[in-house]
Each structure stands twice: as C-alpha cells, then as structure tokens.
Amino acid sequence: MQIGMIGLGRMGGNIVRRLLRDGHTAVVFDRDPAAVEKLASEGATPADSLDDLVAKLESPRTAWVMLPAGAITEETVGKLGGLMQADDCIIDGGNSFYQDDVRRARDLDAKGIHHVDVGTSGGVWGLERGYCMMIGGHKAAVDRLDPIFRTLAPGLGDIPRTVGRDGRDPRAELGYIHAGPSGAGHFVKMIHNGIEYGLMQAYAEGFDILKHANSEQVPEERRFDLNLGDIAEVWRRGSVVSSWLLDLTATALAGDETLEDFSGYVEDSGEGRWTINAAVEEAVPATVLSSALYRRFRSREDASYADKLLSAMRKGFGGHQEPPRRGPTP
C-alpha cells in the first residue's frame, strides 16, 4: 500500500522504514532535505513540497502527518485539505488535542476527505517493537488503511493471550484498535499519556525513597545502602510491578546509578494537562494523575533524584532531551 509521510523525525522516519520493510511504498517530505534524502536512499520516493507529495500519491491518496501538536500540524492539515480530493485520507499521528481532530474532521467531511487520528505509542523503539495505535475516524477509512496499521503494530509477539477474548475484535491483541469516530483515537492516547505520568512518578518516588534509605535522618540500625540497579533488575523478573518503564529504569541505572547526566528538569508535552482537564469536565477524581503533572511543574524549580529518574525514563522511551534549565540549579 502507498502512503505519504510528512515529518521524518524520531517516529515519522521509523514508521516509513517499518512500512518499507513490509513491502509498502512511501512518498516522504520534511522541511529538512537531509531527512528526505536519507529515506530516499532507503527506498522511499522523495518530495520537495506538500504539493509535490500529493502529486506523487495515487488515488485514493493517504497522507500521514507526523508533526508536533499545534500550529505546524494545523497548518499542514489545512494545506493538505486544499490539495486533496474526495475519498482521500489525512492521518494525524502526532499527539494532537482530540477536540482539534473533531473540528478538523468536520471541516474535511464537507469536502469528502477522511480524517483519521492515530494515537501512536512506541517512541524511538517502534521500528523494531512496533507501534501501539489507538485510531479514530470513519469505519470505511480505517478499514481501508488496515494493511498499514497491521504492519506498524507489534503483533501478538510473546505476550500471553488474554483468556476470555474469544469473539472480540482481534486487532486489539495485535496492538491497534479502532477506538471510535474522529477524535476518539487521540482521546484514548491522551489518557494513556496521563496514566504514563502517574506510573513514571510512582517509580521515581519509590526509587527516591530507596536511595535515601541510608539517610542520617534514619536511625543507624535501620539504614540500608541499597543497590538501585539490582533492585530495578530483580523487579523486572516476575514482579507485579514489572513493565517497559521499569525496563528503561533498569537500563538507566545500569549505566549510571547517580544519574549525573540528568538535571531532573522534566517537561510535559501537553497530554497530562489535557487529561486533567477531561477529568474536571467529567467530574472524575484523578488524584494520582494530577499530582504527577504538578510534580513535573515542581521539577523545574528544584529537582530531586526522582526527577532525574523521570527524565531518564523519558529519554529512554522517547529520546526526549532535557532543555536548558531555567530554574535554580539543585
């Protein structure tokens, strides 16, 4: 199947590579010509503009936008909407606000153009592991794109199958779902990221307590000098708290248990805030998730070991680099 990809960063480029490996074809565009040239050398068809990309796609066209949420995605989807025709499809695979998807889909529907929002999880590891995808849009459009999603998804892998799922949508255990109409995909991904904040904060605080078990504030006979790297490693194996985030924690601690390369300045990319806003709108208590978000705000003023571990996890799954610290140095 053919697809156009706009945005060839950490995830966009690897999505194209995974598709090419499975026999799909791709037309690619990015504002950085070097990124385009790199993928062209790997088998993709280069485009030097959005107009050129659309012209090189076969009808019905599919263009995947993999850009940061906000103005650049808004501008790109708007321009594609003016270039594409009825029955073409625009996919937004970034971390857009779901209400923007609802609005864009309504506007594009008037032209007969499909809008599909794909909440995409997998970070820099997606090329090898595959991408977990939460998809919103018209059923006909999502079904037509199934070969793309099936290639990008992780597949069954070695995860034990869930008992009692007989007769249910098989796509979920392959790693992707059609969550509902436009906006539903990014809504589910938004909550996914809110939960991620809470899980990361729980690990970070727990390891912070372990690190300070030898503190002078603790009576001497109850002080423990613990090996955090070994603790992370043993928890990975058979523990109820094992997870991919714990895998990344173990990797970070194996490299440097002091985490001296991290300042502890922890960014939030928006989804946590949107999750809390949704909780307020629905009158649903979200005490853990809101606390995790506020802790990220606090990290920008005075970082702790927990904040450094949060930052290490973010770098592990998404390749997120810390910005220059704007607050006081701890």
Side-chain angles (χ1 to χ4, degrees), residues 24-47:
H24 300 280
T25 60
V27 182
V28 298
F29 171 68
D30 192 279
R31 290 181 176 178
D32 178 8
V36 176
E37 291 173 10
K38 173 62 176 170
L39 277 166
S41 72
E42 298 176 39
T45 300

Side-chain angles (χ1 to χ4, degrees), residues 134-170:
M134 299 134 269
I135 305 162
H138 293 312
K139 182 179 185 302
V142 174
D143 288 350
R144 186 172 81 194
L145 295 167
D146 190 75
I148 294 291
F149 299 137
R150 187 171 292 262
T151 288
L152 293 176
L156 285 172
D158 58 1
I159 299 174
R161 303 185 77 167
T162 302
V163 176
R165 282 197 55 87
D166 295 345
R168 305 191 66 168
D169 189 341

